[in-house]
């Protein structure tokens, strides 16, 4: 059994930023990578025993993750996410343009939003940076996303619709295929490394024993905040003892209860997947929509103009400051025009609408003035009446203290 040795690290892995058009093709697979990183075992598939492995320190285990370079794998996975927000299954569709407005149900940018809540079963296959397949299994239907060289295919069996995008090798992420845009973790390893990159003197990093995940022996790396006030209780990464590949990622909230993200393979094989896993031909009678067609239709429907206006509005933000450090860091944002929520009794909104807004959050006061706190299990936001927003993975009390300190 591995000892509970501790270590600190602030190493981060580099990423390559692609041009805007390249991002159109790469982002869906970045999202797919994040989905694969949030693949969770349900409680019924709990560890079947703690294997007896050689002792290892936290620093050695971190180095083992960094040194892992598995380019091929396949397996079955589960995604379980509970952030305390409503299911995005139907909500995603309401934000995405439907067929009548020129959209496609097979477009991965809207389809994969569904993975942000609830429990999902997936099949994955990877053969290097240019060949990946992700299939989301539904009740009597399946959604598949296939990347093979310069082609990205999305297929929704429920609607028999196909999405297709193309990019040449020089366009994808600045000519380096397989690299995702900056700031977007594309694999379980990248997600683990980003968690480790946040480790400083406010963080405890230890080896928390061993486990079995998907039938493989693994060490458990446990990351915890030393500070009070964080909504994150701990992050546990199960690391394959042989390959160094993260097999399971669990994020537990400090409030207790079930994990907000419980992630891991239920079956994994590091052999080269069959080449047929990455071939795709649109089924007979399927409606095929090209990515460029979707962009053209969006522009025709005025969506591009709206996006441009929204971007212009974002440019009116008066900067972003950070209050505090480590796990208690809070982002302070000044809204355009200093607009906060309408004050109660101001007459700006009907009484019933005001009651609805009040029900969504908790009214708070402090040295900063007054405002409303909107909460999820991990991220909380304070919108002050004078038009400032404080956002962080911290408790309501920590948000109020940050707002007071910023005044």
């Amino acid at each position: 059994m591995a000892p509970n040795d501790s270590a600190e690290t602030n190493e981060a892995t580099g990423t390559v930023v692609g041009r805007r058009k390249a991002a159109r093709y790469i982002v869906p697979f970045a999202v797919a990578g994040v989905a694969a990183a949030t693949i969770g075992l349900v409680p019924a598939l709990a560890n079947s025993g703690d294997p007896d492995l050689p002792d290892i320190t936290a620093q050695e285990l971190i180095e083992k993750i960094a040194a892992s370079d598995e380019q091929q794998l396949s397996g079955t996975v589960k995604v379980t996410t509970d952030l305390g927000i409503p299911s995005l299954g139907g909500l995603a569709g309401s934000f995405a343009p439907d067929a009548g407005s020129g959209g496609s149900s097979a477009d991965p940018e809207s389809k994969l939003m569904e993975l942000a809540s609830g429990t999902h079963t997936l099949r994955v296959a990877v053969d290097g940076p240019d060949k990946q397949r992700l299939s989301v299994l539904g009740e009597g239907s399946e959604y598949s996303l296939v990347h093979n060289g310069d082609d990205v295919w999305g297929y929704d069996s429920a609607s028999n619709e196909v999405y297709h995008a193309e990019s040449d090798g020089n366009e994808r992420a600045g000519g380096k295929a397989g690299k995702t845009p900056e700031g977007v973790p594309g694999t379980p390893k990248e997600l683990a490394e980003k968690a480790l990159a946040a480790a400083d003197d406010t963080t405890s990093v230890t080896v928390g024993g061993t486990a079995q995940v998907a039938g493989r022996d693994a060490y458990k790396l446990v990351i915890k905040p030393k500070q009070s006030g964080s909504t994150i209780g701990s992050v546990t990464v199960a690391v394959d003892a042989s390959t160094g590949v993260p097999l399971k990622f669990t994020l537990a909230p400090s409030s207790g209860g079930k994990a907000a993200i419980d992630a891991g393979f239920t079956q994994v094989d590091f052999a080269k997947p069959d080449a047929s896993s990455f071939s795709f031909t649109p089924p007979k009678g399927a409606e095929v929509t090209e990515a460029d067609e979707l962009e053209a239709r969006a522009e025709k429907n005025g969506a591009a103009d709206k996006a441009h206006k929204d971007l212009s509005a974002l440019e009116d933000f008066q900067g972003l400051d950070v209050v505090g450090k480590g796990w208690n860091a809070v982002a302070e944002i000044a809204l355009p025009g200093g607009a906060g929520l309408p004050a109660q009794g101001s007459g700006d909104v009907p009484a019933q609408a005001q009651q609805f807004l009040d029900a969504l959050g908790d009214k708070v006061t402090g040295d900063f003035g007054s405002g409303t706190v909107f909460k999820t299990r991990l991220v909380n936001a304070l919108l002050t009446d004078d038009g400032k927003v404080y956002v962080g993975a911290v408790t309501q009390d920590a948000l109020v203290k940050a707002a007071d300190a910023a005044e």
Side-chain angles (χ1 to χ4, degrees), residues 164-218:
H164 179 233
E166 291 182 350
S167 65
D168 59 52
N170 292 326
E171 276 189 323
R172 283 199 313 278
K176 294 187 178 181
K179 295 292 185 180
T180 56
E182 185 176 7
V184 180
T187 65
K189 176 184 174 183
E190 289 175 8
L191 188 64
E193 287 174 337
K194 284 186 177 295
L196 290 169
D200 53 20
D201 58 1
T202 68
T203 305
S204 165
V205 183
T206 63
V207 177
T210 63
Q212 274 211 339
V213 178
R216 297 184 66 89
D217 293 347

Side-chain angles (χ1 to χ4, degrees), residues 60-82:
E60 289 170 339
L61 189 52
I62 291 168
E63 292 171 355
K64 192 176 187 69
I65 295 173
S68 64
D69 190 29
E70 293 293 326
Q71 297 288 314
Q72 299 168 334
L73 66 84
S74 60
T76 302
V77 297
K78 272 188 187 297
V79 178
T80 300
T81 308
D82 181 8

Side-chain angles (χ1 to χ4, degrees), residues 33-47:
V34 174
T38 56
I39 299 159
L41 293 175
V42 296
L45 297 174
N47 299 333

Side-chain angles (χ1 to χ4, degrees), residues 1-3 48-56 209-212 216-219 241-242:
M1 192 75 65
S48 58
D50 297 340
D52 187 12
L53 297 173
D55 290 350
I56 191 171
T210 63
Q212 274 211 339
R216 297 184 66 89
D217 293 347
Y219 293 100
S242 176

Side-chain angles (χ1 to χ4, degrees), residues 296-349:
R297 294 175 191 173
E299 291 177 0
K300 184 178 180 180
N301 292 333
D305 290 339
K306 181 181 183 299
H308 177 72
K309 292 177 182 178
D310 291 343
L311 182 60
S312 298
L314 288 175
E315 292 172 350
D316 291 335
F317 277 99
Q318 300 170 18
L320 184 150
D321 295 321
V322 176
V323 182
K325 72 170 188 174
W327 299 79
N328 285 359
V330 172
E332 176 190 5
I333 307 169
L335 293 176
L341 285 176
Q344 187 170 6
S346 65
D348 293 336
V349 293

Side-chain angles (χ1 to χ4, degrees), residues 212-406:
Q212 274 211 339
V213 178
R216 297 184 66 89
D217 293 347
Y219 293 100
K220 293 191 294 186
L221 189 69
V222 182
I223 306 166
K224 291 183 177 181
K226 293 180 179 179
Q227 302 163 298
S228 61
S230 174
T231 56
I232 298 175
S234 66
V235 173
T236 302
V237 182
V239 182
D240 188 276
S242 176
T243 66
V245 173
L247 299 175
K248 187 179 184 194
F249 181 96
T250 304
L251 193 157
S254 59
S255 59
K258 61 182 178 180
I261 299 173
D262 192 15
F265 287 86
T266 61
Q267 181 274 325
V268 64
D269 186 348
F270 291 104
K272 180 182 177 68
D274 191 280
S276 62
S277 301
F278 312 106
S279 62
F280 180 82
T281 301
K284 184 177 181 180
E287 178 183 353
V288 180
T289 303
E290 297 290 336
D292 292 341
E293 293 178 16
L294 286 179
E295 293 176 357
R297 294 175 191 173
E299 291 177 0
K300 184 178 180 180
N301 292 333
D305 290 339
K306 181 181 183 299
H308 177 72
K309 292 177 182 178
D310 291 343
L311 182 60
S312 298
L314 288 175
E315 292 172 350
D316 291 335
F317 277 99
Q318 300 170 18
L320 184 150
D321 295 321
V322 176
V323 182
K325 72 170 188 174
W327 299 79
N328 285 359
V330 172
E332 176 190 5
I333 307 169
L335 293 176
L341 285 176
Q344 187 170 6
S346 65
D348 293 336
V349 293
Q352 288 183 331
Q354 182 67 55
Q355 292 174 1
F356 175 73
L357 290 174
D358 292 342
L360 291 177
D362 296 332
K363 298 296 291 185
V364 296
T365 59
D367 294 341
F368 69 89
S370 60
T372 304
V373 173
F374 301 92
K375 295 183 289 187
T376 70
R377 297 185 71 203
L378 289 184
V379 179
N380 295 328
L382 165 60
L383 175 57
T384 68
D385 293 341
D386 61 358
K388 289 184 179 178
V389 179
Y390 297 89
V391 183
V394 298
T395 63
Q396 176 173 305
D397 289 344
L399 267 184
V400 172
K401 289 180 180 178
D404 286 343

Side-chain angles (χ1 to χ4, degrees), residues 6-164:
S6 64
E8 295 179 353
T9 181
N10 56 9
E11 299 177 14
T13 54
T15 51
V16 179
V17 183
R19 294 198 297 273
R20 178 169 298 183
K21 185 176 181 182
R24 169 72 181 178
Y25 306 118
I26 295 300
V27 166
F29 271 94
V31 174
V34 174
T38 56
I39 299 159
L41 293 175
V42 296
L45 297 174
N47 299 333
S48 58
D50 297 340
D52 187 12
L53 297 173
D55 290 350
I56 191 171
T57 67
Q59 186 62 43
E60 289 170 339
L61 189 52
I62 291 168
E63 292 171 355
K64 192 176 187 69
I65 295 173
S68 64
D69 190 29
E70 293 293 326
Q71 297 288 314
Q72 299 168 334
L73 66 84
S74 60
T76 302
V77 297
K78 272 188 187 297
V79 178
T80 300
T81 308
D82 181 8
L83 302 179
I85 57 177
S87 171
L88 297 179
L91 190 61
S94 67
F95 285 119
D98 56 25
S101 59
S104 169
S105 68
D107 187 344
E109 290 186 0
S110 59
K111 193 69 178 179
L112 294 181
M113 284 181 63
E114 298 176 13
L115 299 180
S117 62
T119 298
H120 305 270
T121 300
L122 303 90
R123 285 197 297 262
V124 298
V126 178
D127 185 5
D130 284 335
K131 292 182 179 180
Q132 300 101 32
R133 184 184 188 104
L134 170 70
S135 296
V136 183
L137 308 183
E139 294 183 6
S141 65
E142 179 176 320
Y143 176 77
S144 294
L145 191 58
V146 181
H147 174 209
N148 192 340
D150 295 334
D151 293 297
V152 174
W153 295 95
Y155 176 59
D156 183 3
S157 68
S159 63
N160 200 29
E161 292 188 25
V162 174
Y163 166 93
H164 179 233

